[in-house]
Amino acid sequence: MTQLYNKVALIGLGLIAGSMALAMRRAGLAGEIVGHARSAETRATALDIGLVDAVFETAAEAVEGADLVVLCVPVGVMGTVAQEIAPHLAQGATVSDVGSVKKAIIDAVQPHMPDHVHFIPAHPLAGTEHSGPRAGFADLFQNRWCLFTPLPETDRASIERLQKLWSAMGANVEEMDAAHHDLVLAVTSHTPHLIAYTMVGVADDLQRVANKEVIDFSAAGFRDFTRIAASDPTMWRDVFLNNKEATLEILGRFTEELFDLQRAIRRGDGEQLFDHFTRTRAIRRSIIDAGQDTAAPDFGRGPKEGD
Ligand code: NAP
């Protein structure tokens, strides 16, 4: 594969940055990959396990001379990091991010970007409940979507170059408006995470069900909730604080539907329950048909992972 960037600087060296570094290396997409993370420990690990060629104590030093800078830090610190690196960005550099919300990041980052760089917000729809530099793996983005939310005035050639990078890392690329992205993700990711966090919290609070029973007899439904609810607390706090409007809108609808089903159970309305479950089963089928999940009963995890 052809090299697309001479020097890539990854700011934040966790799951997403680590996976990008490994995928870029495997396909020979970058001449040099450097990075910065907040703690000395993460920087040392990233260097040690060969994610990056060099690490720097500050983000400002890391971006010097880079033709691609990717912000891979929690959503809530994107703006601060952007402000710090701004005076050090190379002429013509592309600055991107991988944050899970887009409108709030554009508002926080764009005002700091000098005219001589191209800011291109993006979000790979790929992740696990693990975090940190050791959590990354080269196949994370394989057959997953990477959504771009570029501003209308952004240079097309720079957008297409970055899209080539994501395609070469295995992702399918699509463009959409940032507000639309935030609404779509509120439905497909953010609200489901909140529901999982709630359900696991409820089971934990339920004194009538001994803790041991919840763990020993945890059936597929609850087990899958616990996996989602084990996701990084910093990341998810920032997601909800920064996608407030869309999440509240979807939560409102969720609550109404939940009351509807609750009423159906109370009334013994089997027909309503059956119709509802038939509709949702078809949605599951279409996700599998689109290649976004596996039909295996254990979600294809196998005996090693997740159990
Ligand atoms: P992660 O594994 O927790 O890594 C976050 C990295 O950011 C760590 O290296 C951390 O350094 C660093 N960091 C935190 N605050 C910093 C600061 N103020 N200055 C410099 N570095 C800082 O997180 P991740 O899962 O890769 O997520 C990164 C971004 O990707 C987030 O914006 C998230 O919304 C987005 N995203 C995540 C997923 C997912 O499922 N995980 C999926 C798609 C997009 P230390 O280790 O030193 O603290």
Side-chain angles (χ1 to χ4, degrees), residues 12-16 38-39 42 72-74 98-100 123-124 126-127 131-132 235:
L13 291 166
L15 167 71
I16 302 295
R38 180 176 49 173
S39 69
T42 298
C72 305
V73 292
V98 294
S100 306
H123 175 205
S131 42
M235 168 181 162

Side-chain angles (χ1 to χ4, degrees), residues 35-141:
H36 160 77
R38 180 176 49 173
S39 69
E41 190 190 344
T42 298
R43 295 196 295 269
T45 305
L47 199 56
D48 215 38
I49 62 176
L51 293 184
V52 289
D53 301 303
V55 287
F56 294 89
E57 260 182 57
T58 65
E61 290 169 281
V63 305
E64 295 279 358
D67 47 358
L68 175 64
V69 175
V70 189
L71 308 181
C72 305
V73 292
V75 171
V77 293
M78 293 276 182
T80 319
V81 172
Q83 184 173 22
E84 185 196 336
I85 62 172
H88 306 271
L89 293 166
Q91 184 74 33
T94 289
V95 178
S96 188
D97 76 287
V98 294
S100 306
V101 308
K102 297 277 50 107
K103 221 167 142 294
I105 290 181
I106 293 173
D107 291 347
V109 172
Q110 175 68 15
H112 300 295
M113 290 295 105
D115 288 342
H116 63 79
V117 307
H118 311 287
F119 171 51
I120 307 170
H123 175 205
L125 306 191
T128 73
E129 68 279 25
H130 303 297
S131 42
R134 291 187 192 277
F137 56 100
D139 278 333
L140 179 65
F141 309 114

Side-chain angles (χ1 to χ4, degrees), residues 3 29 32 48 73 82-83 86 97 109 128-129 134 143 148 178 183 195 201 215 237-238 246 250 264 267 283 302:
Q3 184 182 310
L29 303 169
E32 188 189 5
D48 215 38
V73 292
Q83 184 173 22
D97 76 287
V109 172
T128 73
E129 68 279 25
R134 291 187 192 277
N143 202 27
F148 278 60
L183 185 63
I195 293 165
I215 293 161
R237 177 201 61 198
D238 286 5
I250 301 304
R267 283 199 316 251
I283 294 172

